[in-house]
Every structure is written in structure tokens, then in C-alpha cells.
Amino acid sequence: ITKDVEKKAADLEVKTKELGSQLETIANLSNTSTTTKRPLIVFISDDTKKEDLSVLLPIFEEKGVPCNFACITQEVDKAGSSSLTTQELRNIVARGHGMMSHSHSHREMSSLTEQELEIEFTENQKRYKEIFGKQAESIAYPYGMWNETVIKVARKYFDYAFSTVKD
């Protein structure tokens, strides 16, 4: 990951202290829209860390705004991992929030070969199904990185893909 990519990603971050007021503004805009009943903005929290339960979830729930959580499947239930457990992830979904893939290993997808991507996405979907009882419909690319090969292979496994940065 280059310093330029890290800076671009850092520029997209929202500080926790600002999140509540920003969500309230967005919720108010969404409530006045008469042209759509679909979400206008998708919120995604990467990596499903323990802090998501104590910091992010209360803010989103207080404002009545759903959030999507991007899960690194090989980290779930792993000893010593800071990732949420299967039960915690299922509880988030039961509370009305979304879950998506963030890959199996959190490697930079654009650096992988087509064969490595096939293995990555196959393992990811297998583990995701063990956790949630269904396949992941969407993926948030780790580090926001992708290329044409990633898109080609991801289309076999996911209906939607999300990114923050394009190199």
C-alpha cells in the first residue's frame, strides 16, 4: 500500500465525535426525500472490530441509521483476534444492520493473481456461509484496491462491490 493510498483513505475517514451529527443531518435529508425509498448512502465499517459494538453501533442506533459491517472471515472466532465473534456478528444482523464480505485474508486484492483471487473468494464465501448461513452478496475491497482482474473474478462470487480508493 502506497503512502498516497493511505492518505486518500485517511481523508475519507469520519471522526467518531463528528459521526452523530453527520448521521442526523443525513437522516433528516433522507426523511424529506419523496423520490426514493431506497437508501441514499451506504455506511460501511471495515474489519468488524470489537470497537464496532461499543463505539459505532450505539451512534448509528441512536440516530436510527443502519450500518453495514465488512467482515474478514478468517479473523472471526480466531484466538487473539480483535475481530467480533460469530455470535456478535449475528447479533448485529439481528438488530437490523447489514453484513458484507471484506475478503477472507484481508490481502490487497489488486496484487493477487486470478487463481489466488479464486481461492480467496471461494474460502471467503465458504466461511461466510458457516457464519451467516448464506453467501455474501457484496464485498468491500480491502484497502479499496481493485483492478480489472479483481472485478472479473469478484463478479462470479458477489452481486455488489464497494471501494474507497482507486489507484
Side-chain angles (χ1 to χ4, degrees):
I1 304 299
T2 66
K3 292 289 182 195
D4 185 48
V5 170
E6 287 178 357
K7 182 182 179 338
K8 287 178 186 175
D11 290 344
L12 295 170
E13 289 181 7
V14 175
K15 305 299 180 220
T16 305
K17 64 183 180 181
E18 301 164 352
L19 182 59
S21 63
Q22 291 176 352
L23 287 176
E24 191 169 316
T25 299
I26 291 166
N28 289 337
L29 288 173
S30 296
N31 291 336
T32 61
S33 173
T34 57
T35 59
T36 182
K37 294 196 183 283
R38 297 181 315 182
L40 301 174
I41 296 173
V42 176
F43 293 98
I44 301 171
S45 176
D46 284 357
D47 304 339
T48 57
K49 300 288 187 190
K50 297 287 185 192
E51 299 83 36
D52 288 345
L53 284 178
S54 60
V55 178
L56 283 184
L57 216 50
I59 295 170
F60 278 92
E61 289 181 341
E62 177 188 334
K63 301 302 178 187
V65 177
C67 185
N68 293 281
F69 295 86
C71 172
I72 305 168
T73 55
Q74 84 173 5
E75 293 299 315
V76 178
D77 297 323
K78 184 176 176 182
S81 172
S82 62
S83 181
L84 297 172
T85 66
T86 293
Q87 192 55 47
E88 290 167 328
L89 293 170
R90 289 177 180 166
N91 179 269
I92 288 172
V93 172
R95 291 162 72 169
H97 300 280
M99 199 62 61
M100 64 177 50
S101 169
H102 196 41
S103 81
H104 184 63
S105 65
H106 203 259
R107 292 166 64 192
E108 183 185 321
M109 300 290 105
S110 62
S111 70
L112 303 181
T113 66
E114 189 168 335
Q115 183 179 8
E116 289 171 321
L117 287 165
E118 291 281 356
I119 293 167
E120 177 74 23
F121 294 151
T122 297
E123 289 300 311
N124 177 240
Q125 287 290 23
K126 177 182 171 189
R127 182 69 176 114
Y128 193 95
K129 188 169 185 177
E130 291 171 0
I131 297 166
F132 299 105
K134 65 178 189 171
Q135 300 245 326
E137 295 177 2
S138 55
I139 184 169
Y141 296 132
Y143 311 104
M145 302 299 289
W146 53 272
N147 59 27
E148 293 305 316
T149 304
V150 173
I151 292 170
K152 175 184 169 188
V153 179
R155 281 185 173 144
K156 298 178 190 178
Y157 296 89
F158 305 100
D159 295 329
Y160 309 96
F162 296 87
S163 177
T164 54
V165 178
K166 173 64 175 119
D167 189 16

